[in-house]
Amino acid sequence: MSQNFRLDKGGYINRNKKISFKFNGKKYFGYQGDTLASALLANGVHLIGRSFKYHRPRGFLGVSVEEPNGQVQLYSGATTEPNAVATTVELVEGLVAKSQNCFPSVSFDFGAINNLLHKFFPAGFYYKTFMWPKSFWYKIYEPIIRKAAGLGIAPLKPDPDRYEHKFEYCDILVVGSGPSGLASALAAAKNGASVILAEDKPRFGGSLLTDEVTIGNKKGKDWADETIMELKSMPNVIVKNRSQVFGYYDHNMMVMIERTKDHIENPDKFTPRQKLWYIRAKEVVVSTGSIERPLVFGNNDRPGIILASAAKEYMKVYGTLVGKKPIIFTNNDSGYDTAIIFKKNGIDPLVLDVRLKSESSVVKEAKDLGIKIRFSYGVVNAEGYKKVNSALIGKLNTEKTGYENLEKVSCDCICVSGNWTPTVHLSSQSGNKLKFNEKVNAFVPNQPKQNESTIGSANGSFTLKKSLEEGFDKGFNLSKKITGKDSKISTPTSNEKNYEQQDKFWCMPLPKNKSYKRCVDFQNDVYVTDIELAIREGFRSIEHVKRYTTLGMATDQGRTSNLNGLQLVSNIEKKIIPEVGHTTFRPPYTPVTIGAIVGREVGKHYRPTRKSPIHAWHEKNNAVFVDAGLWLRPRYYKQGNENLIEAAKREASNVRGNIGVCDVTSLGKIDIKGKDSAEFLNRVYTNAWMKLPVGKARYGVMLREDGIVFDDGTTTRISENHFHMTTTTAQAVNVLSHLEYYLQVVWPDLDVNVLSTTEQWAGAALAGPNSRNLLEKLFPNMDVSNESIPFMGFKEGDLSGVPARIFRISFSGELAYEINVESGYGMFMWEKIMEQGKEMNIEPYGTEALSTLRIEMGHVAGSEIDGRVIPSDLSLDGMLSKKKDFIGKRSLNRKAFIEPEREKIVGVVPLDKKTMIPEGSHLVADSNASLPNPKLGHISASCWSVEYNNPFSLAILINGKKRKGEKLYALSPLKNKVIPVEIVSSHYVDPKGERVRS
Amino acid sequence: MLEIKCPYCGKRSQNEFSYGGDASVKRPELGKEISDKDWDDFIYNRKNPRGKHSEFWHHIAGCRQWFKVLRSTATHEIFKTAKIDEEL
Amino acid sequence: MQKYSILSLIKNAFSNHQNWEVAWKDPEPKKEYDVVIVGGGGHGLATAYYLAKEHKITNIAILEKGWIGGGNVGRNTTILRSNYMWDANGLFYEYGMKLWENLSQELNYNVMYSPRGIINLAHSDAQLNVYARRGNSMRLNGIDALMLGREELKKKIPFADFSASARFPIFGGLMQPRGGTARHDAVAWGYARQADSMGVDIIQHCEVTGFDVQNGKIEGVQTSRGNIKTKKIGLCVAGSTSLLAEKLNMKLPIEAHVLQACVSEPVKPFLDHVVTFGAGHFYCSQSDKGEMVMGGDLDGYNSYAQRGNLPTIQHVLSEGVAMFPNLSRLKMLRTWGGIMDMSMDGSPVIDKSHIEGLYLNFGWCYGGFKATPVSGWTFAHTIAQDRPHKLNEKFTLNRFNTGHLIDEKGVGTKTWIG
């Protein structure tokens, strides 16, 4: 099809570059610089989609972000994009788009039956029905409703595109590049301020692109182009098009989305699709302009009914006609401009003006051009189903409640103009409580709550002269405040038409016995009758009206409907609009791609991955890794076809009988220095620390102030005033903050400094009866005897030239040493251990074997220290000093904490000595009791005991202290398991702890 | 995103900090007798005002210092920040 | 009261819907009431309804500062569940689930209870074990729960990240099949309509400015529309609890925090469950309109502002994309914030107070919506009988003194961690 609605000349499109694209399977042509919408209109395509609820045919109402109807599905597969607004989609070669929410096609849509039945589906109908019988809602009704829900189709594959983030600071961020925005950016930049100018559209200039005005004896558009050129040449200015500032957050944090890829024909491989800018601006100038409001009349949502300003922009920017037989329907002067441009392009419009008359110069110009104007007239009803083909027009009576006469006129489009709504979203988001301006019949910003200034038509200043004045003034004054400089440029003279006359009448009454549907919210299918019904039913607050009817809640966020809705409520309730109030504006201004918000935190980069310096060795040796917080730790080292349990048994047995080595680098480590260090530990831990000798380690338990166990670990006295603390992997970060809090906030008088050294040290635990022999080989010049390095002893050594710390501590319950070297030597240490240990058949062991070893020893870990237990629950009462106070001690005497039947850690063995008890099972007295079955405790950790070759578990059990020998049941209904068990000591292996001291 | 002036490092974005709660809550002295009510007030009960709130923040991705902030819980406006030993 | 049904809808269609009655009236406050409920949110409206229905107390006023249903009942992610580990929570919310199941019929208002199943994804064996502890506890309490393996999950949510490039691979999940969603506004409106029809006065735009307490007893309440006498006041003002408590010289174990939620644009439904991410704090469902309804972490500092900041949304959505990589290409339509009463152990308080005739209902953290029916039911019982019901007897204020805490998450008093 040829572009037979394209004017022969004019517009800012590149007519030398023809672009082909597909819409609903059919091939069309447009030009570079078109939007999908302008190209479709140039081809005479108006029927774009179907409405949400009633499936009414819909075409373009607008030309940009205000568009409620023209949403399409772009492309297919992983790169498909649902709900793309065609008026904002730039045309590129090969673009593929199709209509949404229609089946089988936009032209013939089964869903349109809803329109015939619309009487039965008024606002909120679903609250009143679908209740009987009970189960039918979710079995029958809801699935049907869900089939009809949604607009476009979501991709189901991962997004192949990339998105980036950028952080910027500036003195002044100017949002919008219309006359006031350009003026303020220029004035501020010339006065030395750092400026970012952001324009949502591809082209700068705002209204200067379409208005026939002059600034400083230049055409408005030329002035805009030159100003942009000048701004771009200045080093203190960033000028961005295709960049929408969508959110105004606290402390002048502005967020902007820049479209960087979709409009480029052959983008480079790594071009991000979009960039999200976090901009911290000292001052924000909101010059976001205004949006025209539609007029409301019968079937005012038919394709071919379009905002007058949009029709004008299609002609002026895209050289595209929205019709060849237009009606201009207006209640103000600005609609005449569209009529004049039609006329100048050789097309005769008919102007219907609801006002009695207007004396404005623009009306006079229209009259002088011979344009037909009928005052006191309006469109009563639009006719034509898939495209308007005629209009029932009527002469309004003096009260504007009915008609003196009605007649039918043929037309192929109706351009509507119902006043302007300032785009106050960002101002409102900043916290500015809006005020109603009677003169412009709309809400405008009031007192700024942050460093925000709204100017130009966003501020209700609808003349060019005023916009420029506000822009130059604001730009200068704000920059002066920041830079202290005083170079002011004078405001150029300007010349414009006068459009200030307007009428507040906006909703055409129904003729007698007619019930035309009059649309208020196009995308959400909200009609005048819906709002009337809501109020009739008592939903009188504007928020109730909004929620009950869904007015303004569609993806266009009511840009073209909110004010009309308010006017309607105001008319019905006989309240003035400011009393009705308005609903709150929330970010984002237009929907923002979720991927862009997320940025690069995707896939493996969702969160950092922490690896020990020995990681490569583990990988090479068939380690199967497990996530431990952000760390990856070897869970086991797979040999042959063995599974997790088999591997853990093998590795753990080798520790019990011989020697194993485990990478413990991920343990939290904190260096503590200062003369009060021992005193500090004494307050932080529950046990006594003052008398710990240099060269010795001690196990410690920390509580939260509420008495709950926070963390545990060993701390070693390296020298008199120097300690090395270890924490669990999970709590390392929190423990450091905890210590810093007490040192800096609570006890600043203590002379102590703490520093995380987790990353500074690599750690290897040697465990097993053979570990001393290996230690001797590793440190041939050191006395490694039990006397020299006793249990909980510490020594510094020399590992083939590398300084090392040796701690005789044990989590496995065996004779064990932990060797630390600087991280860079971690691999060296590990390889040395493996090399020297080879003849002893040393094997590495992972976290699963580690768990097995600690469980059968009854050592507690994260699965017991779950943020809900107190020390006595874990049989750690002995760790509580009676002689001193410590963090959390005061809480331990609370009633619930001293109850005699309080839970206690115990061991659990299945009676059959075969069945592993699933972790997370509960212990009950009666496996057949009726529900709810009282729970006595839960299984916190299970292993296959390598010592006894049968399953063993730890449990936290009510009154556990007195239940040794009792027979209970471990139940896991999730796994259908009922396991008779016996309660035993939690110290299943070596209860006296002889091995660690051997 | 809040912009918080660390008394040691200057203005930084909120994501460098972590929150530390009501700064009017003082930990009772160690080893001192204290009533249940005072202890519960320390651990659990909060004024939780709408408006000016003095609170702790911790510059975790910076100098690791704890400090005090006077901020409105109604608007998020920050009036003042101070070192721990300074008055807000 | 007009009955709502398909027949009444058809009948009214023929009179162009001109004959529908108001859903609730707009009365002037009377001088005295038997009970005054402060707060016209979900819990307050439900409390009044159950007081009237179960306890035959109908001389009740609900005083609402703004418009009913404008607080958290209209600002949440509409999730219903009883998948709790501790008995106090599990049995309480399970009773709530039973009320939800019949609520549309009981209220003659379609609250669209949709038991589409809630799935908690686990990303390690250790996490599966933690979930097993909770799931087994649920089952022993008579609550439905299933453990799902990776392969079963692939069938239910094939678009989740089961690929090798997932940072935290999916190991399995805990599912409560009866968990689901409901239509939030409808809950408030349905309770309001029934309460109104039984004689409850719903008084909007009426702010409580003070309490009349004499000799340790409630005698009345002062409001922006005059003083009202009453012997019993039920406080249901989550998000503003501390502000009213201050007027009673009470400090409570809560902090106000903002929780943001967001929705995507509507797309054709592809997600039929509520799914939570286990390697972060993110939950997601798809509404009957097609919007993806998403939420996660608190903004993390005391706030009454009902506005949040983008980094929290960024953080939450990064978790969303980690779970469902296809979300990346959808667009976020709207974000909003609600003010949570974050209690110091994550569980609520429904209790009497030290003032005779003053009853407290607060501390719902971000789980208040699903509790609406059962909170109202038990609170009505507590007010009418002057003692708690067995279901809420553990939700005492005193537990913060005795240590009988109900801490589901084990994070302690740092409420801002959530």
Side-chain angles (χ1 to χ4, degrees), chain A residues 131 278 429 536 868 919, chain C residues 17 105 129 307 314 408:
Chain A
M131 288 177 278
Y278 281 101
Q429 285 178 26
R536 190 176 305 132
R868 306 177 188 98
E919 289 169 349
Chain C
H17 302 284
Q105 291 70 35
N129 293 337
R307 55 183 273 138
Q314 179 188 327
E408 282 282 334

Side-chain angles (χ1 to χ4, degrees), chain A residues 81 119 127 131 134 142 152 159 278 429 536-537 544 547 592 595 635 868 896 899 919 922 935, chain C residues 17 23 68 87 102 105 110 114 125 129 133 185 288 307 314 328-329 331-332 402 404 407-408:
Chain A
E81 181 184 345
K119 266 196 161 179
Y127 299 127
M131 288 177 278
K134 194 172 89 176
E142 191 183 36
D159 188 345
Y278 281 101
Q429 285 178 26
R536 190 176 305 132
E537 294 196 80
H544 281 154
R547 283 157 181 266
V592 181
R635 193 174 186 191
R868 306 177 188 98
E899 277 167 1
E919 289 169 349
H922 290 269
K935 296 176 288 289
Chain C
H17 302 284
I68 60 165
D87 294 353
N102 293 306
Q105 291 70 35
N110 191 355
S114 173
D125 281 339
N129 293 337
R133 179 181 172 192
D185 288 332
D288 286 346
R307 55 183 273 138
Q314 179 188 327
S328 170
R329 245 182 146 77
K331 286 176 285 223
M332 182 182 81
T402 63
H404 292 95
D407 193 346
E408 282 282 334

